[in-house]
Structure formats: C-alpha cells, structure tokens
Amino acid sequence: MGIQLLVTGLALGSMYGLVALGYHITWATSRTMNFSQGQAVMAGAVVAYGLHVALGWPFLLTLLGTLVASALFGVVIERLAVRPFFRSASLAWLLATIACGTIAENVAMLTFGKDARAFPSALATRPVLIAGAGVYPQELLVPVVGLALMGGVQFFYHRTFYGKQLKAVAYNPEAAGLMGIHIPRAVMTAYALSAALAGAAGLLLAPLLNVAPTMGTIIGLKAFAVAIIGGLDSAGGILIAGFLYGLIESFVAGYVSTGAREIVGFAVVIAMLVVRPWGLGGARPTRRV
Amino acid sequence: MSLLDVGDLWVRHGQIEVLRGVSLAVGGEEIVAVIGPNGAGKTTLLRTLAGVLRPARGRITFAGREMTGRPSWEVVRAGVALVPEGRGIFADQTVRDNLMLGALSRRSFDALDAVLERFPALRVRLDTVAGALSGGQQQMLALARGLMARPRLLLLDEPSLGLAPKLVRETFDAVRRIREQGVAVLLVEQMGLQALEIADRGYVLERGRIVAEGPARDLASDRRVIAAYLGAPRSRPRDGGGSP
Amino acid sequence: MRFGQRLLWVLVGCIAATLSASDLAAQSTPVKIGLAAAMSGGSAASGEAIRRGLLIAIDEVNAKGGVLGGRKLELVVRDDEGNPTKGVTIARELVERERVAAVFGGLHSTVALAQVPVWHELKTPYVGAWAAATNITRNGHAPNYVFRVSGNDDYVDKFLVGYATERLRKAKPALLLENTPWGQSNEAGLTKWFADRGLKTVGVEKFNWNDPDMSPQLLRLRQQGADLVVLVANAPEGAQVVKSKAKTGWEVPVLSHWGISGGRFPELAGELSDGVVFFQTYSFFGSQNERGQYVLRVLREKFNVKGPEEVTAPVGTANAYDGMHLVAMAIEQAKATDGPKVRDALENLQGEYRGLIKTYRRPFTSEQHDALTDQDYLMVVWKGGKIVPVK
C-alpha cells in the first residue's frame, strides 16, 4: 500500500505544484493572482478531450492545442478581470477572477455537459507492478513531466532575456517600465504562462481523473493552499510544498481515512499561516527604513 | 526650441495637488538643476516626465514630439531615461543583467563598452549580484544603466542620496562628463549647492510651484536661495563612506 | 300558450341546456397528470425516460377512450432541477394551478422527501418512478398519499444480500459506499440484511464524490479478507472504483446498486465495466413480454430509439409506464379525479393489470406503498457496454 500511496501522492502533488507555480508567476509579476487557475486546469482537460477524443488529433498536436488554448484562457482572464483593476490598488481582481472562473465552469457545463467523460490513455489502462504494488504508468509520468515543466519555467525565468524582463517586472515594476518593458504585456504574458501550466496539468490529469466541468475547482483551491505553504514569492518553496501536500493527502487518505484528507491538508495551511506566513521558501519580510 | 518643453504641468496625488502649473525647459546639451526642499514635488516632477505618473493638466514635449501622458516604456524609447530616486536597480539580478535590461529600449547592447569605460569599477563586477554592491557602486550601476538606453535626456533623481561626500563628488563629476558626451541632464537635488555648481541653469521648486529660475550662478548667489536651500548637507548617509 | 307560460318553458330550456353543456364540458376536459422530475442538468436523462414511459401509457389509455367516460389524460411536466426547494414549489404549482389528479416523481430522493408533506397537505396522490429512499413511501403518514413503482432501498439491499449469499455464495462481504445520506442508508440496510443471514461485513469503506482513487479503501478491504465487494456509487465514482481495483490487481466480484447503470459507466471504466453486476427493476434486453414489445415499438416509432441498447435510463420508462396504467385504473375505480378518492382506490385496487414489469394484483395496501419488492427485481450485468440480464 505504501508504494501506491507514494506514487499517487507524488503524481497529485506535482500537479498541485504546477498549478501553484501559476499563482506564483502572476503574483510575482503583477501582485495579482488568477483565482480561476482551477478552471484553467479544467479548460485544458476539456480542450484536450475535444481535440484528442472528439476530433481524433494525435497526441502531440493535442498537447500544442491545449497549451495554446490555455494560454488564451489566461489572456482573456487578464484582459477582463485584471487589467481594469490593475492600477486601482483594490482587490477587485480577486472577485473578478473568481467570477470569470465560475462563468467558465458554467460555459463548460453547457457545452461539454455535466457528465464526467473518460480520457483514454494507453498509459492509464494496464498497471505495472513496482515492488508488488500496482500503479498506472500515467501516474509515474505525471511527476516527471511536472518537474520538467517547472524546471523549464525556472530556466526561462533565470536564463532567457525575456524571463529576466519578467523578473524585473516582479522585482520593481516601476523601474522595469523605465527600462522600456511594456508592463501590461508582461502581465499578460505572466497570465498566459500561468494558465498554460494549469492547462498542461489538466491534460496530464485527464486520464486519471476523468474530464468534467467541476474537476478544476478543488484542484485550484488546493494549489492555492500549496502556494501559501510554499511561499507566494518562492518557486522552489512551491515545488517542495506541492510534493509535500500531495504526499500528506495521500498518506492521510490511506492510513487514516479519506474524510480526514481535506481536513489535514487545510489544517496545514492554517498552521503555516500562523507559524510562518511567508511560506517555506519565502523570506521573512524585512522592515524597510 | 528646447529639447524638453514642459508647459503648465499639474499633477495630483489622490486629492492633493503636488505640482501646480510647473513650466520649464531643458536645452540640448545643458545640465539643468531643480532644487527645493523636501516634499516640494521634485520627484513627482521627474516621474511625470518619465511617464510613470500622468499629469492632470499641462503639456510635455520632447524633441518636438508630444509626450504628455505617455507611459514610461514609450518615453524611454523616445530618448528620455530616468535614474529614479533610490536607484531602482534590480538587486536580484547581476550587474550585467541590469545593464542589459537598461539597453532594452535601444534593442542593441553596443553601448556596453562605452559605459564600462566610463565606470570601470563595474567591469570587474559584471557577474556580481547587484544587491551585493555597496551604495556607491549601486549608484554607478544606476547611472550606467540609464546610459545604456542612449538617452538624449537623462533625468536624475537625487543621485547623491545616501552617499558619503567623496562619492557625491565623484557622482557629480560623472554627471558633468555625461553632459560633455552630448546628453542633456535634468538633475533634481536636495544638495542644492553642489547641484548648482555643475549646472548651467536652475529652477527652484517650492510646494509644487517654480518660485525662482535662471542661470545657475545667479541662483547660487541669490541670498534668499542661499538662506532657504543651500544649507549644510543632510546628515544621513546610508553608506558609511566605504570606498566604491 | 300564454306569454308567461312560454317564458317559463324558455327559462327551463335554457337551464337544461346550460346544465347539459357544462356536463359535456366536464366530460371533455382532460384529466391532467403531473410529472415533477429532473428534466435538466446531470440527471435529465432520467426525467426524459420517465416522461416517455408516462406518454406511452397515456396514449394507450387515450386511444381506448380515456378515463371517466371519454376524458383524455394529459401530461403536465415541471422541472425540479434536482433541487428540493424547487421541487416543493412545482409540487404546489402542479396541484394548485394545474389541478392535476396525481403526480409522478423522478430520480432525486432528496427532492421526493422534501415533497412528502406537500402531497399530504394538498391531498394529492404521488407515485414515485425512480427515487429509491426507503422513507419516501414509509413516511409515517396515515392516510399515506405517497406510492412508488420503483426500487426501495430496503428491498434493494435485501435483494443484493440474497444474491450475494444464495447465487454467489459469498460469506465475507465488504461494503464500499459513497459518503452521502444515500450511502449511509444503504450501509444500514445491507448490514441489517447480512446480519439477518448470520453474516457480518468484514469491512466498510467510504469515498467522496469526485475521488479519483479508491486503492487505499480496496487494499484495506482486501487485507480484511473480503470475498465480495458490495458497491453503492454513481457512474463516475463507480468507474474509479473498478479502475482502482484493477490497479491493485485484486480479483473480487463487484455487486452494485443501480447507481452505475448510467450510460457513462462503460465509457468511463472501459472494458473494466464488464462483469459488474447490479440490479434493475426491468431490462429491455432479452425476451420481452407483449407489453415490452409494444413499448419498444412505440419508442422506436415515436422517439427514434432503434433498439434496447439505445433506451437510456430504462428503469424510468418501465416504472413510469406501469405506474401510469395503475393510476388510470385507480381513477376509473374511484369514478373521480378527487385526490382522496384516487388515493383510496390505489390502496384497494381491484382487478389485475398485466403490466410491463410484472402482473399487478392489489399492488398497494395500507401497509405497503411499494408496488415492487425484491421479488420483482432482476439482476443484470454490464457486458461490452450493454446491460444484459444475468441468467
């Protein structure tokens, strides 16, 4: 049982981490967050279903289409729910992104239907045995791809020039603007990138979770918890927190009860906020004189 | 026609009027100083000219082109670079990255060699993280970064802030050399005396209004100006005077 | 005749004419029958299936002259959206505004339970065609206005336990249920009926809606030595259960409540759906009696349903069809559409109705308001995406 729980925990945890990274990216770049990240996960899965299952596209094209569609989702959210409130120093973007997420979910219910649909994958049909425990290859693939994507994002941010521009916007948006960086476009890119990550998570999880319009809501919530635990400003902290959260969930569900799973998970969030609000990887805020 | 023309500029911060009908001009190869007490609106003025703030009323023209209300990323592309108060360097990135980002608006990094010539202390520290530099070095970096944009007009906001006297002098020397290279400078300072020493012309800004203007030498010998603004240097150097 | 006498005869004539006209009017006004079910949303298919069953029966009755000397039956449909509050609203609307003689109910037990007080307050008989919660019909009211032609969880549990012990001969059953009131009530029922046979469940595990993986629960049941898993779940969770079971490599039979009869189950579970046994009140597969052939034919002609594999939510259609005929019989027997009279007639139905699901003789009594019991259910199994009766 332990192996099964470990694999499931790592798989789910890496997806929480991937989606949570999206919260970090938009927070760092614009001090706003996309509270429809969960629905971006669902959008990715729904688009992937449409392309791969309904239209019969080959997998690589489906992946491309999913990433593009998810990025577009992020751009739309940014335009509708964030940009109008970006400079107003209010928290209106919080409610606006939540509202957009709800709208997206309902649109999906109307078009995709309320029923869960299966996303067939050769990697989720026959289990393989690892030390006597059965796991689906898909469950092994997910954390690997998740780590690769997170690594890719880090590379982009620290090694490419455009990534450094986004870092500059995150560090000091006013100074970044003085360099000639187009701030609204940078924020839009951050939103597109973060939604694309969520969409990728949706595609990876679709064979394991089934595709349904409501699949993203709880994932978005848990990913937010992971972002808090890891530290909104720390990509590394979020990565670790994602895996930790997934493992805690899995082992609690396995050894205690599935009912306790959510309780323990969110209790950890509350504990973190009380004890170390800047998260695992965040820096204690210094008082500026 | 001047390089920079500012006409009747009004800027608000919430309900408070910070600038009230400010008019000034900067010529092609001169250093203009704007001095005045704390809270006069000097930083607001520069930030508005740089496109960070939008004026409520008034006109800004640069090289004959309309600049009023344009955002900062368009203003720097037009040739006006601001070195902000507090330097605004990206402390989490290297010196090299900071300089490269500075050249973004020019789309070419060929200013790098010339800039490193001017600031040799930076050349040996290209791969140092900017946050690890001393205060004086960070000031050099901020100036250098501003120059990477190859501006025709450089806006400097309190470049002496937090520097030991020796470094202040070196900074102002650098500013003079910048003017010699054909870049106009609009310099905002609380250290009024030293600013007027290197400037060609000056303006005195008080509570959002220009209350005096003229050749720098004249302002420096005006008794009222001396009494009000040209007192002893402030006593809060950030940097303990370590060498750059 | 003198003028006064002529006037009197004219008056009498007018009165007579008016009386007979209203009599005629009464004779040609339709008898309305209400349907309050989930017609939209995730369970819309069930509402539509019930509607079809009712319509087929209504058309049949009307073709033979209707009820009460020529009055046609007419169906009035309202959507409860799966929402108990909405269910109460439409219940009132159907009785007070539409003046229906009886109302048929849909899939959601929560809605049906919320409506129970309304039928008693407004004295209108209600016949459930799907929702299986035991307390819908066993609601403590007397006189009881709630009837049902469908599964009753208590009987279902008895039926499942009977199949497990007599057909499958299993002695170490385990329960795997959804963590909802439906799951809980079936947990109580199954435990009770297993105990009735001297058996204890070796383990009881729960899961939540949208749970992706039930391997921990299954592993624990396996460790506890279960030789059978009795499942109470809906299609998405049921699919995840069989997928998790395959992952753990545990070969154990699965016996299920009808939650997994939904069409998406074979799609979600793939070939793993094969072999999952569950109960139905009726199956359109296999040999059909006369009624079955008739209903299939009308489904084909009127609703474009080509064969049994295209009948969605078949139990709804079958239950509603038989229920409607029983209500029509009751109206005829009561010689009125008056609620209390129809209710009494239902409870004391004379004669025999050779129906679709079975032959009904005195289907309801004052103690028994479920027309179907475990004696009438049948066991079916998923095979290649089709539901086939178990031999």
Side-chain angles (χ1 to χ4, degrees), chain C residues 62-269:
Chain C
N62 287 346
K64 296 206 181 90
V67 293
L68 298 176
R71 292 175 68 180
K72 302 258 190 264
L73 291 170
E74 187 185 293
L75 185 62
V76 181
V77 182
R78 290 288 179 270
D79 183 5
D80 64 27
E81 293 171 14
N83 180 336
T85 318
K86 185 98 202 282
V88 170
T89 310
I90 60 174
R92 290 194 180 279
E93 195 189 317
L94 283 169
V95 177
E96 288 168 346
R97 195 146 8 125
E98 297 290 336
R99 306 214 163 279
V100 297
V103 179
F104 282 84
L107 178 143
H108 290 280
S109 289
T110 44
V111 175
L113 286 166
Q115 291 168 327
V116 168
V118 180
W119 311 125
H120 290 91
E121 181 198 320
L122 299 177
K123 297 201 177 14
T124 303
Y126 166 93
V127 180
W130 193 303
T134 311
N135 294 340
I136 296 173
T137 44
R138 298 195 196 154
N139 51 47
H141 281 93
N144 189 350
Y145 274 84
V146 176
F147 299 82
R148 173 163 50 197
V149 181
S150 180
N152 171 324
D153 277 340
D154 192 36
Y155 290 129
V156 174
D157 294 334
K158 185 174 176 194
F159 183 66
L160 294 174
V161 167
Y163 188 84
T165 51
E166 287 162 25
R167 268 299 289 272
L168 298 178
R169 301 205 171 283
K170 298 294 178 187
K172 303 216 211 81
L175 306 183
L176 183 54
L177 321 122
E178 62 170 46
N179 198 3
T180 61
W182 184 51
Q184 277 157 13
S185 89
N186 281 293
E187 180 188 350
L190 288 164
T191 309
K192 176 184 88 176
W193 288 110
F194 273 122
D196 193 58
R197 296 188 181 250
L199 291 175
K200 261 183 71 118
T201 54
V202 302
V204 176
E205 293 287 340
K206 306 268 179 71
F207 53 83
N208 293 320
W209 283 0
N210 294 321
D211 271 0
D213 186 51
M214 287 77 171
S215 318
Q217 293 95 321
L218 289 164
L219 284 166
R220 278 197 290 269
L221 293 177
R222 185 181 192 172
Q223 272 165 12
Q224 282 151 341
D227 60 6
L228 169 73
V229 171
V230 182
L231 178 66
V232 177
N234 283 302
E237 288 75 37
Q240 298 306 98
V241 165
V242 295
K243 277 157 78 169
S244 307
K245 187 170 86 79
K247 202 170 72 161
T248 61
W250 189 22
E251 310 258 3
V252 68
V254 174
L255 181 61
S256 176
H257 202 306
W258 66 9
I260 52 137
S261 65
R264 295 264 179 255
F265 179 72
E267 181 198 308
L268 294 172

Side-chain angles (χ1 to χ4, degrees), chain A residues 117 136 208-210 254 261, chain C residues 211-212 220 240 243 267:
Chain A
R117 309 296 296 266
Y136 286 120
L208 296 172
L209 298 183
N210 296 325
R261 180 179 60 204
Chain C
D211 271 0
R220 278 197 290 269
Q240 298 306 98
K243 277 157 78 169
E267 181 198 308

Side-chain angles (χ1 to χ4, degrees), chain C residues 253-298:
Chain C
V254 174
L255 181 61
S256 176
H257 202 306
W258 66 9
I260 52 137
S261 65
R264 295 264 179 255
F265 179 72
E267 181 198 308
L268 294 172
E271 46 183 42
L272 293 170
S273 61
D274 281 353
V276 178
V277 178
F278 60 106
F279 107 96
Q280 293 275 267
T281 51
Y282 192 74
S283 171
F284 285 102
F285 286 90
S287 65
Q288 301 285 307
N289 60 21
E290 244 181 65
R291 292 264 183 202
Q293 291 169 19
Y294 174 74
V295 170
L296 276 175
R297 199 181 75 231
V298 177

Side-chain angles (χ1 to χ4, degrees), chain A residues 32-107:
Chain A
T32 65
M33 276 186 282
N34 182 3
F35 273 99
S36 61
Q37 268 292 74
Q39 279 75 26
V41 173
M42 180 270 292
V46 165
V47 167
Y49 180 90
L51 296 178
H52 187 63
V53 179
L55 290 179
W57 283 20
F59 185 72
L60 276 175
L61 267 179
T62 301
L63 174 64
L64 207 63
T66 303
L67 290 175
V68 168
S70 309
L72 270 171
F73 182 85
V75 169
V76 168
I77 298 283
E78 192 265 329
R79 271 304 168 93
L80 286 180
V82 178
R83 194 176 292 202
F85 309 110
F86 184 48
R87 297 222 180 177
S88 70
S90 75
L91 288 176
W93 50 264
L94 198 146
L95 287 172
T97 55
I98 293 177
C100 282
T102 310
I103 292 173
E105 194 168 309
N106 281 288
V107 167

